[in-house]
Amino acid sequence: ADAPFRFAQWSLADPFLSPSKNFTIRTPETGCVPEWAACVIDRQNVHPLFHKHFPHAAQNLLPCWSFFSRFPRLRPVILLRNGLTMHAGDWPHGLLQLMGATIELSRAWDPSKQCAVVGRLITRPEPGGLGREVRWLSREADARLLRVQLRRKHAEALSHFRSTLDHSLHVGLLTRSGKSRSLIHEAAIVARLRQELPRANHSTALFNGWPFARQVSWVAAQDVIITPHGAQNVNLAFARPCAVIAEVFPRYYYVPSFYLTLVQAAGAIPFAAYPGAFPLRDQRKTDMDGTFAWRLRTRNVRLNVTADEVGAALPVMMRARQRCLNELKRRGQGKASDAIPVA
């Protein structure tokens, strides 16, 4: 019999990149007044799948955003070196547009001649896992600034899911299609969410074919999200402050240190759902004994989390959200229920 799913709040002691330890930042040596902030992506610091898979492109682009946010008056540019090319999909280019950044491929673009402050991630992004946690941003304010940009540039897409005057609870189920990582009991889970939270605004989303702005706007509108593990969760960079987000993992594939660090960095509350009481032990077995084929097999399965297991976890998740809201209020950061912080 399948082990029951357990929902547990998850966090990393330090989910942020360090500007001093993870980046090199070089100011112009000529004494000119800087005009550009140039983020360098090269063969030494790029994720190997940067040009093939959008969440791995984001593993380099979001750290660049953190660098740019430190120099808000400078024009942002990403320098792709060593023949690197940009992922051609809508999501990375949507993020670039939101960041206001341009791409420069040519060696002719010389940072010293352009009077640029140059930032560079020192090492390649981590793959996730014990001791190899993925860190995406250097501070929570970077995620807030992303949401500000979303409001400025995609207000219409955002208002489709939630207006700035809507302070009701929004509950979302983010799904996947097919036989890989989808929720077996999706319909029953939706019904249970509606039963447990009858006054909330409920929605279900399948991001296949959705443009960037629609994906991130849906995420930014939700106060509660339940989602299978997978690439769609890179959108959680746009999660609302104190949103509670549960990522569901299958047996022998437990990697909360990939997307849930992004949830934490955004100021939301990460939960990991796993079938069994010993997820770390199970993951060590996969890491130490499993072949690549075994790893693919363990993660590319449908998820058997039940409506009853989701229903049992909801009170714990909602209490965690309320504690977070109370802490925001105590710190004097205004109404945490606002749809998007507006500059």
Side-chain angles (χ1 to χ4, degrees), residues 230-257:
Q232 75 283 354
N233 292 331
V234 73
N235 290 283
L236 300 176
F238 293 83
R240 293 162 57 78
C242 296
V244 60
I245 298 170
E247 187 175 16
V248 184
F249 296 95
R251 188 77 185 272
Y252 295 113
Y253 186 78
Y254 180 73
V255 193
S257 56

Side-chain angles (χ1 to χ4, degrees), residues 176 178-182 229-230 250-251 253 292-303:
R176 290 176 65 109
K179 297 180 180 179
S180 175
R181 314 183 199 185
S182 58
H229 71 102
R251 188 77 185 272
Y253 186 78
F292 181 70
W294 161 256
R295 292 189 183 99
L296 286 179
R297 234 179 5 255
T298 59
R299 71 181 185 180
N300 291 332
V301 297
R302 300 192 73 195
L303 299 163

Side-chain angles (χ1 to χ4, degrees), residues 60 85 271 277 340:
N60 281 101
T85 57
F271 273 75
I340 290 290

Side-chain angles (χ1 to χ4, degrees), residues 6 15 38 172 241 273 317:
R6 298 170 182 240
M317 294 166 66

Side-chain angles (χ1 to χ4, degrees), residues 81-116:
R81 297 309 196 201
N82 311 125
L84 294 178
T85 57
M86 189 64 200
H87 187 285
D90 173 75
W91 203 97
H93 286 274
L95 180 60
L96 282 172
Q97 182 187 39
L98 198 72
M99 292 162 58
T102 56
I103 292 282
E104 285 289 343
L105 304 174
S106 172
R107 268 290 182 186
W109 207 100
D110 186 338
S112 62
K113 293 179 180 178
Q114 298 290 344
C115 196

Side-chain angles (χ1 to χ4, degrees), residues 41-53 56-57 59-60 84-85 124-127:
I41 301 175
D42 56 30
R43 293 289 180 186
Q44 286 68 51
N45 70 1
V46 71
H47 191 283
L49 297 178
F50 174 82
H51 65 295
K52 290 185 177 180
H53 199 25
H56 297 309
Q59 284 186 262
N60 281 101
L84 294 178
T85 57
R124 289 183 175 180
E126 294 287 359

